[in-house]
Amino acid sequence: MPTDYMYQMKCGQNGTFERGQVKPYGNIELSPSAGVLNYGQGLFEGLKAYRKENGSLLLFRPDQNAIRMKVGADRMCMPAPSVEQFVDAVRETALANSRWVPPPGKGSLYIRPLLIGSGPILGLAPAPEFTFLIYASPVSNYFKEGTAPLSLYVEDEFDRASRGGTGGIKTITNYAPVLKALGRAKSRGFSDVLYLDSVDKKNLEEVSSCNIFVLKGNVLSTPTTKGTILSGVTRKSIIQISRDLGYQVEERAIPVEELMEAEEVFCTGTAVVVASVGSITYKDKRIEFRTGAQTACQRLYDILVGIQMGQIKDKYGWIVEIN
């Protein structure tokens, strides 16, 4: 749902971004030979603004999105806004669209920063000009199931990412390739796809647009990020909260067979927040997991969302409040 305003800032060959501006939401003009259109030179981020009971707006760890964009930009041979420029731009965009932020508990304003090679380039090279854009849309639950447990399908034909590639950054080129497998899984009644590593096809990687966690006893495991898995901001936050709650958190390679003994499985991400997985199907075998109010997943969800919405004291310094 388009909101009223978007943010735009440009950068020429000197590598420095000019001062950006909030402008009415609308189409942008690109040359047919723009780097982003021909060679996929682009990145995006995703974060949310929440409305507090007193009416003020809250952003959750926007500096981490800024840092991740800088890392991705370096890999994609692009200049990036500074952390301060990024956070200020997000703040301005949220404020300009404040009337679109849902009431507390009714959703959030999803904010989508984009960094694209907007300049014309025919030969294979970085674009001569770059554009940083932000637009926003009010959202509720990401999955059609709402808060119901997800059903995942383990994909063993298509890969999401490979070693030495760009799976660890949020480049636009990572997402269209998953549509084939995702569409096939949804046509069979599944919520999403769980990918395996591209080399041995035996270790868990991530879901199409979110990270995954596996719980057995007091041990909470998640695949390590070594270039093929996106280092999610929500993932990082859940790891910190879990350790503070006394869970033994392990970032490691997780063989798909470990799902057979797992007690709980859940996904994390800006869009999905913390989503419980009710079942995973692997090689026509359906594995079911514990779900419901008394789970670790629900406890972590309640704490994280409580911090994001200003209902629980933020002892980590993650929240940026906008008055």
Side-chain angles (χ1 to χ4, degrees):
M1 181 181 293
T3 54
D4 300 322
Y5 299 99
M6 64 184 195
Y7 185 94
Q8 183 169 327
M9 180 166 61
K10 288 186 178 290
C11 172
Q13 291 180 314
N14 64 0
T16 302
F17 279 90
E18 64 187 31
R19 179 170 176 77
Q21 61 177 347
V22 172
K23 56 195 295 187
Y25 180 88
N27 294 337
I28 61 171
E29 187 173 290
L30 286 174
S31 164
S33 58
V36 66
L37 297 180
N38 290 265
Y39 305 119
Q41 193 178 27
L43 297 161
F44 74 87
E45 277 297 328
L47 63 162
K48 291 176 177 177
Y50 303 86
R51 188 174 299 281
K52 206 174 174 183
E53 291 290 349
N54 66 5
S56 64
L57 305 182
L58 304 177
L59 299 174
F60 183 71
R61 308 190 75 176
D63 60 313
Q64 296 301 302
N65 297 93
I67 292 168
R68 187 168 64 183
M69 177 168 274
K70 287 178 72 68
V71 171
D74 181 69
R75 176 67 175 84
M76 298 293 285
C77 300
M78 308 168 72
S82 67
V83 172
E84 183 179 6
Q85 285 176 316
F86 182 102
V87 174
D88 284 347
V90 168
R91 183 187 289 112
E92 288 186 44
T93 306
L95 275 174
N97 293 298
S98 61
R99 78 184 186 95
W100 292 94
V101 183
K106 299 296 184 181
S108 58
L109 184 72
Y110 183 82
I111 300 170
R112 168 60 61 84
L114 285 162
L115 179 61
I116 61 174
S118 51
I121 187 78
L122 181 59
L124 183 55
E129 179 191 77
F130 298 89
T131 301
F132 177 68
L133 294 164
I134 305 179
Y135 68 94
S137 174
V139 296
S140 56
N141 288 309
Y142 180 75
F143 290 107
K144 67 179 178 62
E145 292 88 346
T147 57
L150 307 177
S151 60
L152 303 182
Y153 175 79
V154 176
E155 177 59 57
D156 56 5
E157 179 183 354
F158 297 110
D159 299 328
R160 180 195 164 273
S162 60
R163 295 177 187 174
T166 57
I169 63 172
K170 211 165 176 64
T171 171
I172 61 174
T173 53
N174 285 346
Y175 293 85
V178 309
L179 297 178
K180 182 83 169 176
L182 181 59
R184 188 169 66 176
K186 288 192 173 184
S187 70
R188 298 172 181 173
F190 297 102
S191 310
D192 212 324
V193 173
L194 173 57
Y195 288 90
L196 302 177
D197 72 283
S198 62
V199 178
D200 301 313
K201 296 285 189 181
K202 71 173 187 178
N203 293 322
L204 305 183
E205 291 252 303
E206 62 177 280
V207 182
S208 300
S209 59
C210 45
N211 298 116
I212 193 160
F213 284 80
V214 178
L215 178 69
K216 182 181 179 184
N218 195 53
V219 179
L220 184 61
S221 303
T222 189
T224 185
T225 56
K226 288 187 175 178
T228 58
I229 298 172
L230 189 69
S231 180
V233 177
T234 308
R235 173 188 181 275
K236 186 184 299 185
S237 306
I238 287 297
I239 287 174
Q240 180 66 61
I241 294 170
S242 298
R243 285 180 172 149
D244 289 351
L245 290 176
Y247 290 101
Q248 179 184 328
V249 181
E250 296 180 352
E251 297 179 72
R252 60 179 176 85
I254 304 176
V256 65
E257 288 79 15
E258 286 195 21
L259 292 174
M260 309 296 178
E261 301 176 354
E263 296 166 10
E264 287 183 45
V265 175
F266 57 86
C267 300
T268 65
T270 298
V272 305
V273 192
V274 182
S276 177
V277 176
S279 68
I280 296 179
T281 299
Y282 176 55
K283 293 190 180 298
D284 296 324
K285 181 173 182 180
R286 178 184 168 98
I287 312 157
E288 296 189 345
F289 309 102
R290 184 173 62 211
T291 60
Q294 304 304 313
T295 58
C297 172
Q298 186 63 50
R299 186 182 185 193
L300 291 167
Y301 173 89
D302 290 343
I303 294 172
L304 179 67
V305 172
I307 294 172
Q308 290 175 333
M309 300 189 66
Q311 298 165 345
I312 293 178
K313 183 176 174 153
D314 172 25
K315 66 179 183 180
Y316 304 104
W318 289 343
I319 293 296
V320 174
E321 184 163 356
I322 310 172
N323 295 313

